[in-house]
mmCIF file of all heavy atoms in Angstrom:
data_model
loop_
_atom_site.group_PDB
_atom_site.id
_atom_site.type_symbol
_atom_site.label_atom_id
_atom_site.label_comp_id
_atom_site.label_asym_id
_atom_site.label_seq_id
_atom_site.Cartn_x
_atom_site.Cartn_y
_atom_site.Cartn_z
ATOM 1 N N SER A 301 -9.836 6.291 11.130
ATOM 2 C CA SER A 301 -8.787 7.046 10.440
ATOM 3 C C SER A 301 -9.252 8.468 10.175
ATOM 4 O O SER A 301 -10.437 8.725 10.014
ATOM 5 C CB SER A 301 -8.448 6.389 9.109
ATOM 6 O OG SER A 301 -7.991 5.080 9.310
ATOM 7 N N ASN A 302 -8.284 9.360 10.090
ATOM 8 C CA ASN A 302 -8.598 10.723 9.688
ATOM 9 C C ASN A 302 -7.645 11.127 8.571
ATOM 10 O O ASN A 302 -6.776 10.351 8.166
ATOM 11 C CB ASN A 302 -8.532 11.689 10.883
ATOM 12 C CG ASN A 302 -7.159 11.748 11.522
ATOM 13 O OD1 ASN A 302 -6.142 11.713 10.841
ATOM 14 N ND2 ASN A 302 -7.115 11.831 12.836
ATOM 15 N N LEU A 303 -7.794 12.334 8.074
ATOM 16 C CA LEU A 303 -6.994 12.786 6.926
ATOM 17 C C LEU A 303 -5.501 12.737 7.227
ATOM 18 O O LEU A 303 -4.695 12.364 6.360
ATOM 19 C CB LEU A 303 -7.428 14.198 6.518
ATOM 20 C CG LEU A 303 -6.800 14.749 5.248
ATOM 21 C CD1 LEU A 303 -7.081 13.843 4.059
ATOM 22 C CD2 LEU A 303 -7.322 16.154 4.992
ATOM 23 N N GLN A 304 -5.112 13.078 8.438
ATOM 24 C CA GLN A 304 -3.694 13.042 8.805
ATOM 25 C C GLN A 304 -3.138 11.621 8.687
ATOM 26 O O GLN A 304 -2.008 11.431 8.236
ATOM 27 C CB GLN A 304 -3.496 13.566 10.224
ATOM 28 C CG GLN A 304 -2.034 13.562 10.651
ATOM 29 C CD GLN A 304 -1.839 14.039 12.086
ATOM 30 O OE1 GLN A 304 -2.769 14.504 12.726
ATOM 31 N NE2 GLN A 304 -0.633 13.913 12.582
ATOM 32 N N HIS A 305 -3.918 10.615 9.060
ATOM 33 C CA HIS A 305 -3.463 9.228 8.943
ATOM 34 C C HIS A 305 -3.192 8.862 7.483
ATOM 35 O O HIS A 305 -2.222 8.166 7.177
ATOM 36 C CB HIS A 305 -4.498 8.270 9.525
ATOM 37 C CG HIS A 305 -4.676 8.416 11.000
ATOM 38 N ND1 HIS A 305 -5.908 8.421 11.592
ATOM 39 C CD2 HIS A 305 -3.774 8.572 11.995
ATOM 40 C CE1 HIS A 305 -5.759 8.570 12.890
ATOM 41 N NE2 HIS A 305 -4.473 8.665 13.161
ATOM 42 N N TYR A 306 -4.064 9.313 6.575
ATOM 43 C CA TYR A 306 -3.863 9.028 5.160
ATOM 44 C C TYR A 306 -2.591 9.697 4.635
ATOM 45 O O TYR A 306 -1.837 9.101 3.871
ATOM 46 C CB TYR A 306 -5.075 9.470 4.330
ATOM 47 C CG TYR A 306 -6.280 8.600 4.547
ATOM 48 C CD1 TYR A 306 -7.379 9.067 5.255
ATOM 49 C CD2 TYR A 306 -6.327 7.304 4.048
ATOM 50 C CE1 TYR A 306 -8.485 8.268 5.466
ATOM 51 C CE2 TYR A 306 -7.419 6.499 4.249
ATOM 52 C CZ TYR A 306 -8.502 6.984 4.955
ATOM 53 O OH TYR A 306 -9.585 6.186 5.155
ATOM 54 N N HIS A 307 -2.354 10.937 5.067
ATOM 55 C CA HIS A 307 -1.132 11.634 4.652
ATOM 56 C C HIS A 307 0.120 10.923 5.190
ATOM 57 O O HIS A 307 1.109 10.768 4.483
ATOM 58 C CB HIS A 307 -1.147 13.094 5.119
ATOM 59 C CG HIS A 307 -2.097 13.958 4.357
ATOM 60 N ND1 HIS A 307 -1.929 14.271 3.027
ATOM 61 C CD2 HIS A 307 -3.245 14.568 4.743
ATOM 62 C CE1 HIS A 307 -2.917 15.031 2.619
ATOM 63 N NE2 HIS A 307 -3.740 15.231 3.647
ATOM 64 N N GLN A 308 0.060 10.467 6.442
ATOM 65 C CA GLN A 308 1.194 9.746 7.029
ATOM 66 C C GLN A 308 1.453 8.438 6.288
ATOM 67 O O GLN A 308 2.607 8.094 6.009
ATOM 68 C CB GLN A 308 0.936 9.461 8.506
ATOM 69 C CG GLN A 308 1.004 10.679 9.381
ATOM 70 C CD GLN A 308 0.548 10.401 10.806
ATOM 71 O OE1 GLN A 308 -0.141 9.414 11.080
ATOM 72 N NE2 GLN A 308 0.928 11.270 11.724
ATOM 73 N N ALA A 309 0.390 7.720 5.964
ATOM 74 C CA ALA A 309 0.551 6.456 5.232
ATOM 75 C C ALA A 309 1.152 6.706 3.852
ATOM 76 O O ALA A 309 2.036 5.966 3.406
ATOM 77 C CB ALA A 309 -0.795 5.740 5.111
ATOM 78 N N LEU A 310 0.682 7.751 3.177
ATOM 79 C CA LEU A 310 1.226 8.079 1.861
ATOM 80 C C LEU A 310 2.709 8.404 1.939
ATOM 81 O O LEU A 310 3.511 7.946 1.110
ATOM 82 C CB LEU A 310 0.454 9.255 1.255
ATOM 83 C CG LEU A 310 0.908 9.722 -0.116
ATOM 84 C CD1 LEU A 310 0.799 8.606 -1.146
ATOM 85 C CD2 LEU A 310 0.109 10.940 -0.542
ATOM 86 N N GLU A 311 3.101 9.168 2.960
ATOM 87 C CA GLU A 311 4.519 9.488 3.138
ATOM 88 C C GLU A 311 5.342 8.227 3.394
ATOM 89 O O GLU A 311 6.440 8.072 2.857
ATOM 90 C CB GLU A 311 4.692 10.466 4.304
ATOM 91 C CG GLU A 311 4.239 11.873 3.997
ATOM 92 C CD GLU A 311 4.350 12.781 5.216
ATOM 93 O OE1 GLU A 311 5.180 12.490 6.107
ATOM 94 O OE2 GLU A 311 3.595 13.770 5.267
ATOM 95 N N MET A 312 4.817 7.327 4.217
ATOM 96 C CA MET A 312 5.549 6.096 4.525
ATOM 97 C C MET A 312 5.733 5.245 3.277
ATOM 98 O O MET A 312 6.814 4.694 3.042
ATOM 99 C CB MET A 312 4.801 5.300 5.600
ATOM 100 C CG MET A 312 4.825 5.960 6.962
ATOM 101 S SD MET A 312 3.774 5.110 8.153
ATOM 102 C CE MET A 312 4.748 3.640 8.452
ATOM 103 N N VAL A 313 4.685 5.140 2.458
ATOM 104 C CA VAL A 313 4.790 4.356 1.223
ATOM 105 C C VAL A 313 5.766 5.015 0.257
ATOM 106 O O VAL A 313 6.602 4.352 -0.345
ATOM 107 C CB VAL A 313 3.400 4.175 0.573
ATOM 108 C CG1 VAL A 313 3.525 3.587 -0.819
ATOM 109 C CG2 VAL A 313 2.515 3.289 1.443
ATOM 110 N N SER A 314 5.689 6.350 0.128
ATOM 111 C CA SER A 314 6.572 7.026 -0.819
ATOM 112 C C SER A 314 8.038 6.944 -0.400
ATOM 113 O O SER A 314 8.928 6.950 -1.240
ATOM 114 C CB SER A 314 6.152 8.484 -0.999
ATOM 115 O OG SER A 314 6.342 9.210 0.194
ATOM 116 N N ARG A 315 8.302 6.860 0.905
ATOM 117 C CA ARG A 315 9.679 6.724 1.395
ATOM 118 C C ARG A 315 10.109 5.258 1.467
ATOM 119 O O ARG A 315 11.226 4.951 1.837
ATOM 120 C CB ARG A 315 9.806 7.333 2.793
ATOM 121 C CG ARG A 315 9.750 8.828 2.858
ATOM 122 C CD ARG A 315 10.151 9.332 4.238
ATOM 123 N NE ARG A 315 9.535 8.586 5.318
ATOM 124 C CZ ARG A 315 8.509 9.006 6.061
ATOM 125 N NH1 ARG A 315 7.981 10.182 5.833
ATOM 126 N NH2 ARG A 315 8.018 8.265 7.029
ATOM 127 N N ASP A 316 9.198 4.365 1.173
ATOM 128 C CA ASP A 316 9.441 2.924 1.262
ATOM 129 C C ASP A 316 9.635 2.473 2.713
ATOM 130 O O ASP A 316 10.310 1.490 2.986
ATOM 131 C CB ASP A 316 10.645 2.512 0.414
ATOM 132 C CG ASP A 316 10.319 1.372 -0.530
ATOM 133 O OD1 ASP A 316 9.149 0.942 -0.565
ATOM 134 O OD2 ASP A 316 11.231 0.902 -1.213
ATOM 135 N N ASP A 317 9.044 3.225 3.661
ATOM 136 C CA ASP A 317 9.110 2.858 5.079
ATOM 137 C C ASP A 317 8.043 1.833 5.451
ATOM 138 O O ASP A 317 8.100 1.252 6.529
ATOM 139 C CB ASP A 317 8.897 4.093 5.965
ATOM 140 C CG ASP A 317 10.087 5.035 5.927
ATOM 141 O OD1 ASP A 317 11.151 4.630 5.432
ATOM 142 O OD2 ASP A 317 9.945 6.177 6.398
ATOM 143 N N LEU A 318 7.071 1.651 4.600
ATOM 144 C CA LEU A 318 5.966 0.736 4.880
ATOM 145 C C LEU A 318 6.102 -0.490 3.981
ATOM 146 O O LEU A 318 6.139 -0.353 2.761
ATOM 147 C CB LEU A 318 4.634 1.442 4.622
ATOM 148 C CG LEU A 318 3.368 0.685 4.941
ATOM 149 C CD1 LEU A 318 3.262 0.483 6.451
ATOM 150 C CD2 LEU A 318 2.164 1.441 4.434
ATOM 151 N N PRO A 319 6.186 -1.666 4.558
ATOM 152 C CA PRO A 319 6.330 -2.879 3.730
ATOM 153 C C PRO A 319 4.999 -3.276 3.107
ATOM 154 O O PRO A 319 4.434 -4.328 3.400
ATOM 155 C CB PRO A 319 6.821 -3.921 4.737
ATOM 156 C CG PRO A 319 6.224 -3.487 6.032
ATOM 157 C CD PRO A 319 6.189 -1.986 5.983
ATOM 158 N N TRP A 320 4.465 -2.416 2.227
ATOM 159 C CA TRP A 320 3.135 -2.615 1.666
ATOM 160 C C TRP A 320 2.994 -3.934 0.920
ATOM 161 O O TRP A 320 1.931 -4.516 0.866
ATOM 162 C CB TRP A 320 2.771 -1.449 0.747
ATOM 163 C CG TRP A 320 3.748 -1.246 -0.367
ATOM 164 C CD1 TRP A 320 4.841 -0.445 -0.343
ATOM 165 C CD2 TRP A 320 3.740 -1.875 -1.640
ATOM 166 N NE1 TRP A 320 5.521 -0.535 -1.524
ATOM 167 C CE2 TRP A 320 4.859 -1.409 -2.347
ATOM 168 C CE3 TRP A 320 2.901 -2.799 -2.260
ATOM 169 C CZ2 TRP A 320 5.149 -1.830 -3.628
ATOM 170 C CZ3 TRP A 320 3.189 -3.218 -3.541
ATOM 171 C CH2 TRP A 320 4.309 -2.736 -4.215
ATOM 172 N N ASP A 321 4.087 -4.423 0.356
ATOM 173 C CA ASP A 321 4.009 -5.673 -0.405
ATOM 174 C C ASP A 321 3.705 -6.879 0.481
ATOM 175 O O ASP A 321 3.207 -7.893 0.008
ATOM 176 C CB ASP A 321 5.288 -5.906 -1.206
ATOM 177 C CG ASP A 321 6.544 -5.884 -0.354
ATOM 178 O OD1 ASP A 321 6.554 -5.203 0.685
ATOM 179 O OD2 ASP A 321 7.515 -6.546 -0.736
ATOM 180 N N ARG A 322 3.942 -6.770 1.788
ATOM 181 C CA ARG A 322 3.624 -7.876 2.695
ATOM 182 C C ARG A 322 2.116 -8.030 2.884
ATOM 183 O O ARG A 322 1.651 -9.061 3.322
ATOM 184 C CB ARG A 322 4.290 -7.662 4.049
ATOM 185 C CG ARG A 322 5.785 -7.835 3.969
ATOM 186 C CD ARG A 322 6.515 -7.717 5.274
ATOM 187 N NE ARG A 322 5.720 -7.892 6.471
ATOM 188 C CZ ARG A 322 6.056 -7.431 7.664
ATOM 189 N NH1 ARG A 322 7.179 -6.751 7.806
ATOM 190 N NH2 ARG A 322 5.302 -7.620 8.709
ATOM 191 N N PHE A 323 1.347 -6.982 2.563
ATOM 192 C CA PHE A 323 -0.103 -7.047 2.700
ATOM 193 C C PHE A 323 -0.772 -7.648 1.475
ATOM 194 O O PHE A 323 -1.945 -8.001 1.524
ATOM 195 C CB PHE A 323 -0.680 -5.653 2.962
ATOM 196 C CG PHE A 323 -0.163 -5.030 4.220
ATOM 197 C CD1 PHE A 323 0.765 -4.011 4.168
ATOM 198 C CD2 PHE A 323 -0.590 -5.476 5.459
ATOM 199 C CE1 PHE A 323 1.244 -3.431 5.325
ATOM 200 C CE2 PHE A 323 -0.110 -4.912 6.624
ATOM 201 C CZ PHE A 323 0.805 -3.887 6.555
ATOM 202 N N LEU A 324 -0.046 -7.729 0.371
ATOM 203 C CA LEU A 324 -0.603 -8.297 -0.850
ATOM 204 C C LEU A 324 -0.695 -9.806 -0.714
ATOM 205 O O LEU A 324 0.301 -10.470 -0.462
ATOM 206 C CB LEU A 324 0.263 -7.941 -2.061
ATOM 207 C CG LEU A 324 0.450 -6.462 -2.357
ATOM 208 C CD1 LEU A 324 1.350 -6.285 -3.562
ATOM 209 C CD2 LEU A 324 -0.871 -5.776 -2.560
ATOM 210 N N THR A 325 -1.888 -10.328 -0.872
ATOM 211 C CA THR A 325 -2.066 -11.771 -0.761
ATOM 212 C C THR A 325 -2.302 -12.427 -2.115
ATOM 213 O O THR A 325 -2.108 -13.625 -2.249
ATOM 214 C CB THR A 325 -3.252 -12.103 0.162
ATOM 215 O OG1 THR A 325 -4.425 -11.459 -0.330
ATOM 216 C CG2 THR A 325 -2.963 -11.654 1.581
ATOM 217 N N HIS A 326 -2.723 -11.643 -3.105
ATOM 218 C CA HIS A 326 -2.985 -12.178 -4.439
ATOM 219 C C HIS A 326 -2.527 -11.173 -5.483
ATOM 220 O O HIS A 326 -2.724 -9.972 -5.320
ATOM 221 C CB HIS A 326 -4.481 -12.445 -4.634
ATOM 222 C CG HIS A 326 -5.020 -13.508 -3.744
ATOM 223 N ND1 HIS A 326 -5.387 -13.258 -2.445
ATOM 224 C CD2 HIS A 326 -5.236 -14.821 -3.962
ATOM 225 C CE1 HIS A 326 -5.830 -14.382 -1.898
ATOM 226 N NE2 HIS A 326 -5.741 -15.336 -2.793
ATOM 227 N N ARG A 327 -1.945 -11.682 -6.543
ATOM 228 C CA ARG A 327 -1.519 -10.846 -7.673
ATOM 229 C C ARG A 327 -1.984 -11.558 -8.943
ATOM 230 O O ARG A 327 -1.728 -12.743 -9.123
ATOM 231 C CB ARG A 327 -0.006 -10.690 -7.668
ATOM 232 C CG ARG A 327 0.506 -9.679 -8.666
ATOM 233 C CD ARG A 327 2.015 -9.531 -8.592
ATOM 234 N NE ARG A 327 2.453 -8.999 -7.311
ATOM 235 C CZ ARG A 327 2.659 -7.701 -7.063
ATOM 236 N NH1 ARG A 327 2.453 -6.825 -8.009
ATOM 237 N NH2 ARG A 327 3.070 -7.303 -5.884
ATOM 238 N N PHE A 328 -2.674 -10.824 -9.808
ATOM 239 C CA PHE A 328 -3.244 -11.399 -11.022
ATOM 240 C C PHE A 328 -2.799 -10.622 -12.246
ATOM 241 O O PHE A 328 -2.580 -9.418 -12.186
ATOM 242 C CB PHE A 328 -4.781 -11.361 -10.963
ATOM 243 C CG PHE A 328 -5.369 -12.159 -9.847
ATOM 244 C CD1 PHE A 328 -5.673 -11.553 -8.635
ATOM 245 C CD2 PHE A 328 -5.620 -13.510 -9.987
ATOM 246 C CE1 PHE A 328 -6.225 -12.274 -7.596
ATOM 247 C CE2 PHE A 328 -6.166 -14.242 -8.955
ATOM 248 C CZ PHE A 328 -6.466 -13.627 -7.751
ATOM 249 N N LYS A 329 -2.690 -11.318 -13.358
ATOM 250 C CA LYS A 329 -2.466 -10.680 -14.652
ATOM 251 C C LYS A 329 -3.807 -10.133 -15.134
ATOM 252 O O LYS A 329 -4.875 -10.583 -14.700
ATOM 253 C CB LYS A 329 -1.933 -11.688 -15.679
ATOM 254 C CG LYS A 329 -0.608 -12.302 -15.303
ATOM 255 C CD LYS A 329 0.489 -11.362 -15.677
ATOM 256 C CE LYS A 329 1.833 -12.060 -15.428
ATOM 257 N NZ LYS A 329 2.912 -11.116 -15.414
ATOM 258 N N LEU A 330 -3.761 -9.163 -16.035
ATOM 259 C CA LEU A 330 -4.973 -8.541 -16.544
ATOM 260 C C LEU A 330 -5.926 -9.581 -17.151
ATOM 261 O O LEU A 330 -7.142 -9.513 -16.952
ATOM 262 C CB LEU A 330 -4.622 -7.469 -17.575
ATOM 263 C CG LEU A 330 -5.780 -6.640 -18.100
ATOM 264 C CD1 LEU A 330 -6.510 -5.933 -16.965
ATOM 265 C CD2 LEU A 330 -5.275 -5.626 -19.115
ATOM 266 N N GLN A 331 -5.377 -10.565 -17.835
ATOM 267 C CA GLN A 331 -6.230 -11.571 -18.464
ATOM 268 C C GLN A 331 -6.919 -12.483 -17.444
ATOM 269 O O GLN A 331 -7.847 -13.213 -17.788
ATOM 270 C CB GLN A 331 -5.456 -12.400 -19.496
ATOM 271 C CG GLN A 331 -4.300 -13.187 -18.933
ATOM 272 C CD GLN A 331 -2.974 -12.457 -19.062
ATOM 273 O OE1 GLN A 331 -2.922 -11.233 -19.139
ATOM 274 N NE2 GLN A 331 -1.888 -13.198 -19.079
ATOM 275 N N ASP A 332 -6.507 -12.443 -16.182
ATOM 276 C CA ASP A 332 -7.127 -13.247 -15.128
ATOM 277 C C ASP A 332 -8.063 -12.419 -14.234
ATOM 278 O O ASP A 332 -8.332 -12.780 -13.087
ATOM 279 C CB ASP A 332 -6.042 -13.898 -14.261
ATOM 280 C CG ASP A 332 -5.202 -14.884 -15.035
ATOM 281 O OD1 ASP A 332 -5.750 -15.552 -15.940
ATOM 282 O OD2 ASP A 332 -3.993 -14.974 -14.746
ATOM 283 N N MET A 333 -8.560 -11.319 -14.789
ATOM 284 C CA MET A 333 -9.383 -10.417 -14.003
ATOM 285 C C MET A 333 -10.643 -11.104 -13.457
ATOM 286 O O MET A 333 -11.047 -10.847 -12.325
ATOM 287 C CB MET A 333 -9.784 -9.199 -14.825
ATOM 288 C CG MET A 333 -10.527 -8.152 -14.003
ATOM 289 S SD MET A 333 -11.007 -6.706 -14.927
ATOM 290 C CE MET A 333 -9.431 -5.991 -15.268
#
């Protein structure tokens, strides 16, 4: 990756073009840290 890739990814997430939630495999509450 290079800096341009990070900027492109940020733009995709901010526009909601990237289904980032599909990459989440675990979600925890603060008390389950």
Side-chain angles (χ1 to χ4, degrees):
S301 300
N302 61 39
L303 186 58
Q304 181 182 352
H305 294 136
Y306 289 108
H307 287 293
Q308 288 172 341
L310 180 60
E311 287 176 25
M312 291 173 73
V313 170
S314 66
R315 288 191 315 256
D316 232 3
D317 289 347
L318 184 67
W320 57 269
D321 55 332
R322 289 183 20 202
F323 299 106
L324 301 179
T325 56
H326 295 82
R327 189 178 296 267
F328 298 94
K329 299 278 186 196
L330 186 58
Q331 62 265 25
D332 296 326
M333 186 180 292

